[in-house]
């Protein structure tokens, strides 16, 4: 009698043990998010800002969803798109991440989009800003901005402020092409002329020859887009070549007067008018709290627009995971669409149709505040959708 009962009991006990263990084991499983950023190389400031902002968001908002701990797996792609794609593939296949995030430059985002589509992994673009990125995969959600959003607003401002002749200077890759096209179209529509469109390479740009051309052309204004991290070198050369003294007014997207570098740009930056979605000087209680906490956690570092893209990107992922109860894939994607919240930059919406961010675009002027250079907002266009989607 003992014989048959024992194995039955043992089996039952073992079964119970397994049953008891399973949910416990699942509860211990972390929810992994793959964060791919340029932590080294030319775009390293983008990586540093976003990584710090992601850590801050998790520290402030708890790192657990549906009883599971959120774990961010950070990989450095050195802004090499082949590397980005390889790392994203590994994160999906080996680490089984529920979401991919980061993407410092457009080529990195574009290289990864097919992986998001094939694996049905939501991919949150926190930095890259070419309009077309959200169309490269139905799994892309963006929390940064688009160059058309920023460029149309500054073209409007220029036309309304007596500027009739402008030369453009952009970084020669996708976001630069977007900036040039949307600035020029709107500026021409408003009756302006553009005698020359200049471009510099993304890698190791040399501003001397293009600035010489600008001097010769003597436009009323020079419109500039350069990716985050190149603004300080550009401003230095702009001053060294005496363009500020020659009466060429500098206007730009806010990438050029990047908060990460602005404090060290010197007085040549004073008075530069730009349009963008974020300034560390944005006056709202939410932003004041954000800037203070970011500085405290990062040795006084001032957050820039990349940091805000990372901070809001984590918000979109964490709130999405709460709604999907920790599920990834299409459930998580659906829970990201349509999120509305107050960002440090102001109110934002993740457009459910386009998966792109709808946000306020500010016109700002570089001024000294308490002895430090800031982009001080003086005008705003509310709730701007990406103009690139209308084409
Ligand atoms: C991109 C990169 C930047 O650093 C920036 O400021 C804007 C756009 C990009 O590659 O998309």
């Amino acid at each position: 009698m003992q014989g048959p009962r024992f194995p039955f009991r043992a089996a039952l006990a073992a079964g119970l043990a397994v049953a008891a263990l399973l949910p416990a084991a699942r509860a211990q499983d972390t929810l992994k998010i793959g964060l791919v950023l340029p932590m080294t190389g030319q775009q390293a400031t983008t990586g540093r800002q976003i990584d710090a902002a992601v850590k801050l968001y998790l520290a402030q908002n708890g790192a657990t969803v549906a009883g599971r701990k959120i774990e961010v797996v950070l990989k450095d792609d050195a802004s090499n798109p082949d590397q980005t794609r390889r790392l994203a593939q590994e994160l999906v296949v080996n680490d089984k991440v529920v979401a991919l995030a980061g993407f410092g430059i457009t080529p990195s985002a574009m290289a990864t989009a097919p992986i998001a589509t094939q694996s049905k992994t939501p991919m949150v673009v926190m930095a890259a800003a070419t309009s077309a990125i959200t169309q490269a995969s139905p799994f892309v959600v963006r929390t940064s901005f688009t160059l058309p959003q920023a460029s149309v607003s500054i073209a409007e401002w220029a036309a309304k402020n007596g500027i009739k002749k402008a030369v453009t200077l952009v970084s020669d890759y996708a976001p630069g092409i977007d900036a040039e096209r949307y600035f020029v179209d709107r500026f021409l529509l408003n009756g302006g002329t553009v005698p020359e469109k200049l471009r510099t390479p993304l890698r190791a740009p040399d501003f001397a020859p293009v600035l010489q051309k600008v001097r010769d052309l003597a436009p009323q204004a020079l419109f500039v887009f350069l990716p985050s991290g190149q603004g300080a070198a550009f401003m230095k050369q702009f001053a060294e070549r005496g363009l500020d003294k020659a009466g060429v007014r500098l206007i730009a997207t806010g990438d050029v007067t990047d908060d990460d570098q602005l404090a060290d740009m010197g007085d040549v930056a004073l008075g530069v008018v730009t349009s963008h979605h974020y300034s560390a000087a944005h006056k709202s209680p939410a932003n004041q709290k954000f800037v203070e906490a970011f500085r405290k956690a990062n040795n006084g570092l001032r957050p820039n627009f990349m940091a805000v893209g990372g901070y809001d990107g984590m918000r979109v992922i964490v709130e999405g995971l709460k709604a999907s109860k920790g599920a990834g894939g299409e459930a998580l994607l659906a829970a990201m669409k349509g999120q509305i919240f107050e960002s440090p930059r102001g109110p934002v919406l993740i457009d459910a149709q386009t998966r792109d961010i709808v946000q306020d675009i500010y016109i700002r002027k570089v001024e000294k505040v308490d002895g430090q250079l800031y982009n001080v907002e003086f005008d705003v266009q509310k709730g701007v959708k990406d103009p690139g989607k209308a084409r």
Side-chain angles (χ1 to χ4, degrees), residues 1-15:
M1 290 294 276
Q2 290 285 81
R5 279 171 75 189
F6 179 66
F8 175 73
R9 273 201 184 156
L12 187 67

Side-chain angles (χ1 to χ4, degrees), residues 150-170 183-184 187 194 219-226 234-235 238 248-257 268-269 271-275 363-366 378:
S151 308
V152 166
S153 296
I154 190 71
E156 283 285 330
W157 181 86
K160 281 194 194 117
N161 284 272
I163 297 169
K164 299 243 175 294
K165 182 177 158 188
V167 168
T168 60
L169 167 59
V170 301
F183 175 85
V184 169
F187 191 64
V194 179
Q220 276 173 292
L222 173 65
F223 164 75
V224 183
F225 161 75
L226 295 169
F234 170 79
M235 288 300 240
F238 188 82
V248 178
R249 180 145 199 194
L250 185 60
I251 55 176
T253 63
D255 311 71
V256 177
T257 55
V268 61
V272 173
V273 174
T274 59
S275 57
I363 308 290
R364 314 96 49 86
K365 185 187 257 176
V366 177
F378 65 89

Side-chain angles (χ1 to χ4, degrees), residues 6 9 18 55 63 148 151 155 243 251 291 327 339 354 368:
F6 179 66
R9 273 201 184 156
V18 169
K55 289 195 169 96
S151 308
L243 278 153
I251 55 176
V291 172
Q339 285 193 28
T354 62
K368 271 194 180 144

Side-chain angles (χ1 to χ4, degrees), residues 26-353:
R26 283 218 190 96
Q28 296 310 310
D29 274 0
T30 57
L31 282 166
K32 288 187 186 169
I33 296 164
L35 183 63
V36 191
L37 290 170
M39 300 307 295
T40 55
Q42 191 177 281
Q43 308 305 128
T45 57
T46 296
R48 177 181 60 164
Q49 287 271 351
I50 294 180
D51 177 37
V54 162
K55 289 195 169 96
L56 178 64
Y57 186 86
L58 287 180
Q60 288 177 333
N61 294 280
T64 305
V65 168
R68 293 166 71 182
K69 199 169 169 293
I70 291 178
E71 182 188 346
V72 173
V73 185
L74 173 66
K75 302 281 180 187
D76 174 16
D77 67 3
S79 73
N80 171 347
D82 292 334
Q83 188 88 329
T84 320
R85 182 176 35 217
R86 189 179 60 70
L87 291 167
Q89 177 92 39
E90 281 175 17
L91 285 163
V92 167
V93 174
N94 301 340
D95 295 283
K96 313 238 178 313
V97 296
V98 286
L100 290 164
F103 310 104
I105 57 169
T106 292
S108 292
M110 286 304 209
T112 308
I115 290 169
T117 306
Q118 284 152 23
S119 65
K120 296 190 190 299
T121 307
M123 168 177 162
V124 178
V125 175
M126 297 170 156
T130 301
S131 176
I133 294 171
T134 42
Q135 285 150 330
S137 165
F139 283 84
V140 168
V141 169
R142 174 157 36 203
T143 58
S144 52
F145 74 108
T146 78
L147 265 311
Q149 276 179 330
S151 308
V152 166
S153 296
I154 190 71
E156 283 285 330
W157 181 86
K160 281 194 194 117
N161 284 272
I163 297 169
K164 299 243 175 294
K165 182 177 158 188
V167 168
T168 60
L169 167 59
V170 301
S171 194
D172 193 5
Y173 76 123
I177 310 307
D178 262 4
E180 180 189 278
R181 180 169 160 198
Y182 282 85
F183 175 85
V184 169
D185 279 4
R186 185 56 65 102
F187 191 64
L188 294 181
L189 186 68
N190 285 322
T193 56
V194 179
E196 189 100 49
K197 295 181 258 186
L198 303 166
R199 295 179 185 177
T200 50
L202 168 64
R203 312 276 173 197
D206 178 7
F207 302 117
V210 284
L211 286 175
Q212 188 51 50
K213 273 204 180 140
V214 175
R215 248 205 109 112
D216 297 342
L217 290 157
Q220 276 173 292
L222 173 65
F223 164 75
V224 183
F225 161 75
L226 295 169
S228 186
Q230 294 190 3
F234 170 79
M235 288 300 240
K236 190 160 170 279
Q237 293 235 11
F238 188 82
E240 276 171 12
R241 276 158 213 281
L243 278 153
D244 51 338
K245 309 260 169 2
V248 178
R249 180 145 199 194
L250 185 60
I251 55 176
T253 63
D255 311 71
V256 177
T257 55
D258 183 347
D259 271 306
D260 190 79
Q261 299 188 323
L262 183 58
D264 301 321
M265 281 186 196
D267 286 355
V268 61
L270 277 172
V272 173
V273 174
T274 59
S275 57
H276 230 206
H277 55 292
Y278 180 69
S279 163
H282 178 65
K283 280 202 171 78
S284 73
N287 186 50
Q288 263 156 12
K289 252 179 68 189
F290 169 70
V291 172
E292 224 167 85
F294 188 94
R295 281 189 184 276
K296 204 165 155 209
N298 296 284
N299 266 320
L301 182 67
R302 191 196 290 187
N304 71 355
F305 62 99
M306 294 299 186
V308 170
Y311 192 74
D312 291 346
M314 271 321 281
R315 193 272 182 202
V316 168
I317 296 170
V318 170
E319 289 301 313
L321 284 169
K322 281 185 193 165
S324 74
K325 302 195 169 49
E330 269 158 0
L332 176 56
L333 180 71
M336 290 177 169
K337 292 179 186 178
Q339 285 193 28
I340 299 182
F341 57 97
E342 197 194 347
S343 154
R345 67 185 103 179
V348 299
L349 156 72
I350 303 300
D351 187 313
Q353 252 76 53

